[in-house]
Amino acid sequence: MLEKLTNYLEFPFVRYAIIVGVLIALCSSLLGVTLVLKRFSFIGDGLSHVAFGAMAVASVVNLANKMILVLPITVISAVLLLRTGQNTKIKGDAAIAMISVSSLAFGYLLMNVFSTSANLSGDVCSTLFGSTSILTLRSYEVDLCVALSVIVLFVFVFFYNKIFSVTFDENFAKATGTDVGLYNFIIAVIIAVIIVLAMNLVGSLLISALVIFPALSAMRIFRSFKAVTVFSAVLSVFCALLGMFVSILAGTPVGSTIVAADAAAFFVCCIAGKAMGRN
Amino acid sequence: MKTEQIICKNAVLGYEKTPVVENLSFAVCEGDYLCIVGENGSGKSTLVKTLLGLNPPISGEIKRGGGIKSTQIGYLPQQTVVQKDFPASVWEIVLSGCLSKSGLRPFYNKAEKETARKNIERLGITDLSDKCYRDLSGGQQQRVLLARALCAADKLLLLDEPVTGLDPVATADMYALIETLNKSGITIIMISHDTGAAVKYASHILHIADEVFFGTKEEYLKSRQGKMFLNMEGGE
Ligand SMILES: Nc1ncnc2c1ncn2[C@@H]1O[C@H](COP(=O)(O)OP(=O)(O)OP(=O)(O)O)[C@@H](O)[C@H]1O
Ligand SMILES: [Mg+2]
């Protein structure tokens, strides 16, 4: 079994896939806590549908590098959704539901009507669930993923204290002179970038799982923001590696295998949390 | 003449066009100790939120003077909507009070950590430093938020019912601490239902009711409203 794995690792595209997978898993876990606690999780969900719609448009017009279209559209939607979400709670929710469902519908419609591909349901499936696309990344896509991940990591570390403050108590931060609007904007942009990145790894339907599971797992065991952030990053990377190796060996779809690993880890963390007398 | 740090002229406060307090005029000078009193729902918290810029006034003018900046203000909210699951240690929360001082710097420096440590000690929660905020009792949580407010307060401290939930000893300590801060030159604006303490410590009183009173403590004690309010408290 180990032999089979080392055999696979000889191929550069497998190595690329693993590097990209690890980086994406790392980034996507970082903002999990913020997403869960700021009730941004529904925004994450909505955005992943928007990203799906954009991806459909990109494949219909046959863009070589789909990210060029998907990334800006998702970022703009993130900023807009955050705006509406802030003003009025209920209207914001409705707006998100509307946007996300219609992008899903339009995306599928477009792919159905205009697709030149013979294997339509296969295309749709791989956009939704990620399937094997991670193994077929071209080298510039790998470069782009790596560059974006590094930027996300850097921005997160640089603004870590601000993100904590804005997540914990937005009113206090605002009252004492922190530019809350700016940091909410930064958070929205990072979330959008992460979603576009994660789409490559697990497909648009499973993104929320990749983003939120590690944070929820860590919150079962740890009690400080720093510990939760660090642990969810480690856990997310571990689950991504595990998922990728299993999928290589057993031939299972990458995205769902990783998310299954995350779910299993969540279960283990729940038990560990209970055992440590925390619930 | 002391410099005026907050000037409020004919302000109408409220939420989305529904006025809560009307015709409010007062000024707070450097080094003042202003107590805001009034019944539940009279608009005290609304006033503090408006002073902090969290809630725009419907009309009228609220100005900051004396070169006071948002980053020099400490604030203790009446209620902090902290989500139940938030994983944050006491240390992280108190330290976040120093955020506005750190500017664009990504990490807290030694001086800021020292400020946080000192304020944690002042409020007697050193042994809780590593605990999770949400596992604390109400009074302990109140102390954590006070420590955070103290970290942020360089010139002005706004406290919305600071002693709610504190035990008698902690309450007395709290008043003594606020007095010390005030003597060291920090302006205090405090909302309180504890009229006894208000007239004992404050230099000025703002009584929000249908008829707003603003003046020094001495004036308040002589005013009709003041007498009524104090008698009511005494008669309980
Ligand atoms: N977010 C809000 N939106 C709309 N109305 C509000 C909001 N918050 C408070 N109010 C209303 O404004 C009025 C004043 O509320 P406020 O919280 O300022 O009272 P308070 O004087 O601080 O009372 P308490 O002594 O209970 O703290 C109340 O009638 C309340 O219903
Ligand atoms: Mg109040």
Side-chain angles (χ1 to χ4, degrees), chain A residues 248-270:
Chain A
I248 288 172
L249 292 175
T252 51
V254 184
S256 359
T257 317
I258 293 176
V259 172
D262 276 319
F266 176 69
F267 190 65
V268 172
C269 287
C270 281

Side-chain angles (χ1 to χ4, degrees), chain A residues 205-217:
Chain A
L205 270 192
L206 298 177
I207 287 173
S208 298
L210 192 70
V211 171
I212 286 164
F213 261 134
L216 287 179
S217 307

Side-chain angles (χ1 to χ4, degrees), chain A residues 4-5 12 59 67 69 77 85 113 118 135 144 149 154 205 220:
Chain A
K4 193 171 167 195
L5 204 61
S59 31
M67 294 258 253
L69 188 72
S77 320
V113 175
L135 290 176
L144 190 60
S149 311
F154 180 78
L205 270 192
R220 290 273 148 179

Side-chain angles (χ1 to χ4, degrees), chain B residues 14-16 18 20 38-47 49 78 160-161 191 193:
Chain B
Y15 299 89
E16 286 160 30
T18 318
V20 176
E39 293 168 18
N40 290 139
S42 54
K44 304 180 298 295
S45 301
T46 307
L47 170 61
K49 282 187 231 159
Q78 181 172 21
D160 197 340
E161 305 194 12
I191 296 177
H193 287 296

Side-chain angles (χ1 to χ4, degrees), chain A residues 162-180:
Chain A
K162 274 97 181 165
I163 291 174
F164 170 81
S165 215
V166 170
T167 314
F168 179 71
D169 189 345
E170 194 170 309
N171 273 344
F172 178 84
K174 196 169 170 191
T176 55
T178 302
D179 191 344
V180 171

